[in-house]
Every structure is written in C-alpha cells, then in structure tokens.
Amino acid sequence: MKQLLSILSVAILAFTFVIPPITSHAADVTVTAGNVVAGANAKTVPGLAGATITAGQIVYYDSSASSWKLADADLSAAASGSGGSIGLALNGASSGQPITVLLEDDDLTPGGTLTMTAPIYVLSGTAGGIAPIADLAAADYPVFLGIAKSANKMIFRPVRGPVVVAAP
C-alpha cells in the first residue's frame, strides 16, 4: 500500500508538470486550529518555531536557523522546503517556542473541510496554507501534501517537486 501511494504521488507530480491544471483557482482549506488531530500512526518530530505558527499550517525546517517556519509555494525554493523537511504544525507557537510537526500520517484530521471531487492537496502560495492542486501556478515550487479520504480526513505524505511549475 505504501508503495502504491508513493507511486501515485510521483505520478501526480509528473502529470502536473506535463499538463498543468487549467481549472479556476479555489480557496485554500480553511483550518480551525482546535480541530487538527493526528492519526494513531502519525510520524512527528519536536522542534522550535521560527515564526508565529498556528496548528494546521504547513511548515518547513530552516536548517540555518534550526527552526520551523511557514512554508510557501511561491516565495522561494527554501520556503517550499526544498532543502529539508516539510510538515504540518500540530500545535501553535510563537518564535522560539516548542512545536510538534507532523511529517507523515495515514489518517490526519486537518481541521478543515476537504472535497472528494478534487481530492489532491498541495502547498499553497499563501504562507502555511493548504490548497487544492488546481491552485498550482506558474513559478510555484510544487509540494504535494496529500489526498483526501473523506470531507475531514486525509493521507498526509508530503512530496516535493524537483522544479518550478512551467508556465502553460
């Protein structure tokens, strides 16, 4: 099953580079921090926040600052997590405070409503956001985050794309 999900993740990213989405942009998932819950088999790591972070936001590890910061698909390769780990904050924290980061989960409750008609989610161009795949834009650093299992559950397994999305 894990191999199938890995293959599916790579196929989705490859498909995105070959045929970019042409649908209209949708809004980011609206996350209620108090509703973010990791599944029983979640893989997490402790760390320090390098910015003000809310539970449910996507973060990347900044090795130069030894802290977790808000990830952003259209800011820079570093902010998209290209040089290190990327995950989801399980608690809120201000800069310098402890944070627990979810790296992988087969049963994440992300704290927002997901859609089954477009179940693939990526890193948003809004810092820390989760967006539907249709929102990938030219010049974005693509990061596949996961696939919705239902309106409130997803398989969370981040996979970074190798390059910036090409302009259509």
Side-chain angles (χ1 to χ4, degrees):
M1 182 67 168
K2 285 186 179 185
Q3 286 179 325
L4 177 60
L5 288 174
S6 295
I7 292 169
L8 178 60
S9 298
V10 172
I12 290 166
L13 284 172
F15 181 78
T16 301
F17 297 127
V18 175
I19 304 173
I22 56 173
T23 58
S24 63
H25 291 289
D28 283 2
V29 174
T30 301
V31 175
T32 301
N35 294 342
V36 176
V37 181
N41 297 318
K43 294 180 183 174
T44 63
V45 293
L48 289 176
T52 299
I53 298 169
T54 303
Q57 288 187 306
I58 304 301
V59 294
Y60 75 97
Y61 187 71
D62 180 351
S63 59
S64 65
S66 299
S67 62
W68 292 89
K69 297 181 178 177
L70 294 176
D72 188 331
D74 64 5
L75 185 62
S76 67
S80 71
S82 66
S85 294
I86 191 158
L88 181 136
L90 289 175
N91 64 286
S94 294
S95 187
Q97 292 182 326
I99 191 164
T100 300
V101 177
L102 175 71
L103 299 178
E104 189 175 305
D105 192 348
D106 60 0
D107 200 33
L108 170 66
T109 302
T113 303
L114 307 172
T115 176
M116 297 305 294
T117 56
I120 301 167
Y121 288 89
V122 297
L123 175 62
S124 173
T126 301
I130 299 171
I133 196 166
D135 280 5
L136 274 178
D140 278 357
Y141 294 87
V143 179
F144 166 80
L145 296 175
I147 301 172
K149 295 171 41 173
S150 68
N152 64 354
K153 293 279 188 176
M154 76 184 299
I155 298 168
F156 182 78
R157 202 163 279 129
V159 177
R160 288 179 297 282
V163 295
V164 175
V165 174

